Amino acid sequence: MKALILVGGFGTRLRPLTLSVPKPLVEFANKPMILHQIEALKAVGVNEVVLAINYQPEVMLNFLKDFETNLGIKITCSQETEPLGTAGPLALARDKLIDDSGEPFFVLNSDVISEYPFEQMIKFHKAHGGEASIMVTKVDEPSKYGVVVTEESTGKVEKFVEKPKLFVGNKINAGIYLLNPAVLDRIELRPTSIEKEVFPKIAAEGKLFAMVLPGFWMDIGQPRDYITGLRLYLDSLRKKSSSKLAIGPHVVGNVLVHESAQIGEGCLIGPDVAIGPGCVVESGVRLSHCTVMRGVRIKKHACISSSIIGWHSTVGQWARVENMTILGEDVHVCDEIYSNGGVVLPHKEIKSSILKPEIVM
Amino acid sequence: MYQKSIFSYLSIVADSEIWVSISVDLEMGSSEEKVVAVIMVGGPTKGTRFRPLSLNIPKPLFPLAGQPMVHHPISACKRIPNLAQIYLVGFYEEREFALYVSSISNELKIPVRYMREDKPHGSAGGLYNFRDLIMEDSPSHIFLLNCDVCCSFPLSEMLEAHKKYGGMGTILVIKVSAESASQFGELVADPETKELLHYTEKPETFVSDLINCGVYIFTPEIFTAIQDVSSQRKDRANLRRVSSFEALQSATRSLPTDFVRLDQDILSPLAGKKQLYTYETMDFWEQIKTPGMSLKCSGLYLAQFRFTSPDLLASGDGTKNATFTGDVYVHPSAKVHPTAKIGPNVSISANARIGAGVRLISCIILDGVEIMENAVVTNAIVGWKSSIGRWSRVQAISLHKKGYFTFMSQVAVGDYNAKLGVTILGESVGVEDEVVVTNSIVLPNKTLNVSVQEEIIL
């Protein structure tokens, strides 16, 4: 089987992290976002992944080279020279996706994190016998999204309603599709939307079916959702393979600590924390609801909550970093500094406190 | 005291010969002239800008550099040669000062007395009110100090200068920036003779960058001067019954005859009459009207300890004691964990407990406060028996950044404190673990379980 991952552009919503690496390579729970998807695809027998990308394909391919051999999966890029929307890239990668097998292929939105129940999706797809399957997920506020209205018993999609003002349903498109090759015949090579142009036509013919995604789902394309997504992911990890989570008197709730990271005495870590490889967390540090990327040093008595600490940054003694503070790569927060929602671009030194959320260029 | 007891003894048993010889002795030694000091401490209806701290303690007893505010002028008085008595004059109840007055008298071996006014009489009126007591020892000079000023009190130098000038009074003055001068009494002095030529209180337009520090020395003639003002008022009051027109014209019509201000009623009219002189200090000077200023002044006094009483300053490098940086006072009964880092400008009062890994910067920690592990306190005053949780942070960030001035205009009550960048926790305030309190004022007996910023918590 094959899969296409819609990587897209600059990942501006996840800046300043995406100023240093392409978005799919930003670690989520100590693993590049895209690897979560590739590993799950490999697990259900996908042997070739095409990345639809329009920015820095070399960086991506260089990075993924090792994983190709390790995972035994072929990874290629299909580069757009102009933005083609959500459907155009499928037409562009048509030759890579179609082979003699006639099997359906996966299409994933790269921002989405979930338990990736691909096995169930394949079964669902085969069972309904239609042309395309999409995953839907229930949300609290459907009016922010495109709502998918389905026939309750079969899952057959009746219509799409974009940002409905009145309640028509609470299931939204989760950005995970399984499509027959025939779908490609419906897509022209031009900027076009799969949600707005392609799916409604298939639905009109009664050949589009929606499966409710079991487990959690989160679009982690922006910092706040990234932090929420980590909580959901670690909750799910607790149920599935809790041995991966840290234990000890200094741990509260779900915490992921890379084996090469060091934690000092008298710390209190958690809940919902990921500490990356090579990190040094000195004594008396408090971490909660945060991600600490590779090579970071958190000095004594610092306190971090609801924040992302970018690669190789340092947080000084008695510093307080909170409320969606995002430190880019190689940022240094001096001793005793307070950051309330500071968004700091790479290679900066923070010498004075940030009282209100603001961007530090 | 010593001389006085000889006197009373002699007055009972002495014959005239001895009497004469003793009194000659006293007259000859002009250095043996007695001096008394009067410190005006105000009362509970004053100092409202010092809330919420003044809700618990008379402002003059609020600790700066670990010592009650009034202790600093008192210990400066102690250094005056031949000081016979220190009087505190105010309208707080006696019991509020009883304990302090008796302990400081013992400590300094100088009688310190609290004299309660039945009502505010103005600073000159207050002095006059107690003239019989003040003159009991027949002092040659009377110091008059306001309690709410913070300076090095160069009293002996003032006395020397005053004797040289030969006037009735000498005022301690300081040069300040032209912008800030208008908040104080502005005055003009003769650059050569130092005579006070002109005095005006809080003028609307710029008069001078020399201001009145609220520290004076007078000869006993000051009482005559105050009496003159008082009797003029009485005359005018009598006149008023005759002419209601005059009464309406008079700017002082609402003032009772025994209310005499020092500045407007004495200094202004006597300026330029070769009776008042000035002594300029080149040292620090501040007025302590708000809690925010008290933190600054605490720092100034701590810095002064370097020269006057270095033994009061804490030291340690983190091996056996905590790490201390800059000027820090720690009361002997307070416990500070060796892994804590304290300073600069920190004073920690009695029975406070400072936990492991705590960081204190520029703050006043009052009696019985507990600060738990890894908490940070910076630019704050933490009230009596308050408790600061683990990894919590009590701070003020003095800001010139956007958004801050909006806050200041909204919060009229707190703007003065906010401007000075100080967070204040009243008595028995609880800050729970990991909570951040920023640029806020918290009244007594409140517990904070969520972070607050730029708020007044009632």
Side-chain angles (χ1 to χ4, degrees), chain A residues 52-250:
Chain A
I53 190 168
N54 58 19
Y55 176 68
Q56 290 187 332
E58 325 77 41
V59 181
M60 284 285 292
L61 286 179
N62 275 338
F63 175 83
L64 292 170
K65 224 177 270 171
D66 291 343
F67 293 96
E68 271 193 285
T69 39
N70 289 352
L71 291 171
I73 192 165
K74 189 180 173 193
I75 301 171
T76 58
C77 274
S78 164
Q79 191 184 0
E80 302 160 57
T81 46
E82 56 165 328
L84 292 172
T86 50
L90 274 74
L92 188 68
R94 179 188 174 96
D95 295 341
K96 291 175 188 256
L97 293 170
I98 286 181
D99 57 19
D100 304 334
S101 69
E103 279 192 345
F105 59 91
F106 285 102
V107 175
L108 309 182
N109 189 329
S110 72
D111 291 346
V112 161
I113 198 92
S114 79
E115 288 172 8
Y116 307 116
F118 295 140
E119 195 73 65
Q120 287 160 265
M121 194 175 193
I122 293 169
K123 279 183 194 148
F124 174 76
H125 187 73
K126 282 180 180 160
H128 67 65
E131 203 170 292
S133 298
I134 68 169
M135 293 270 209
V136 291
T137 185
K138 289 180 181 171
V139 291
D140 291 336
E141 292 179 72
S143 57
K144 287 185 191 168
Y145 306 86
V147 170
V148 183
V149 182
T150 59
E151 197 182 86
E152 201 61 42
S153 54
T154 60
K156 188 188 279 181
V157 176
E158 290 168 353
K159 59 177 176 176
F160 291 84
V161 185
E162 197 58 31
K163 298 192 172 69
K165 289 202 176 72
L166 285 173
F167 183 87
V168 290
N170 60 359
K171 297 191 199 80
I172 64 153
N173 179 352
I176 302 172
Y177 320 125
L178 187 55
L179 311 177
N180 283 351
V183 173
L184 292 173
D185 300 335
R186 299 174 181 270
I187 306 171
E188 292 169 45
L189 185 57
R190 62 172 175 88
T192 165
S193 161
I194 199 164
E195 301 88 352
K196 287 176 191 145
E197 297 183 51
V198 182
F199 286 157
K201 282 180 192 154
I202 307 174
E205 293 173 22
K207 293 176 183 170
L208 180 67
F209 291 82
M211 169 185 156
V212 178
L213 176 74
F216 76 97
W217 175 88
M218 198 75 210
D219 178 335
I220 55 171
Q222 46 189 331
R224 185 175 296 275
D225 296 335
Y226 178 102
I227 289 166
T228 310
L230 183 65
R231 175 172 60 78
L232 300 172
Y233 175 85
L234 294 179
D235 278 348
S236 154
L237 196 61
R238 164 75 63 195
K239 287 173 202 143
K240 292 200 306 198
S241 45
S242 62
S243 63
K244 287 181 180 165
L245 295 169
I247 44 167
H250 62 288

Side-chain angles (χ1 to χ4, degrees), chain A residues 27 30 257-263 274-282 287 291-299 304 308-315 327-333:
Chain A
E27 287 94 339
N30 288 348
V257 180
H258 192 273
E259 56 187 18
S260 62
Q262 300 167 37
I263 310 284
I275 300 173
C279 289
V280 178
V281 178
E282 297 183 353
L287 302 177
T291 289
V292 179
M293 303 280 196
R294 181 177 2 99
V296 164
R297 175 178 285 263
I298 312 289
K299 297 188 185 172
I304 301 174
I308 302 174
I309 311 301
W311 312 271
H312 306 290
S313 291
T314 57
V315 175
L327 306 184
E329 181 186 15
D330 183 39
V331 167
H332 303 280
V333 176

Side-chain angles (χ1 to χ4, degrees), chain B residues 310-336:
Chain B
D311 51 305
L312 286 176
L313 295 175
S315 61
D317 58 0
T319 47
K320 273 184 187 165
N321 293 327
T323 306
F324 294 102
T325 157
D327 301 325
V328 174
Y329 168 84
V330 180
H331 190 274
S333 66
K335 287 195 173 61
V336 182

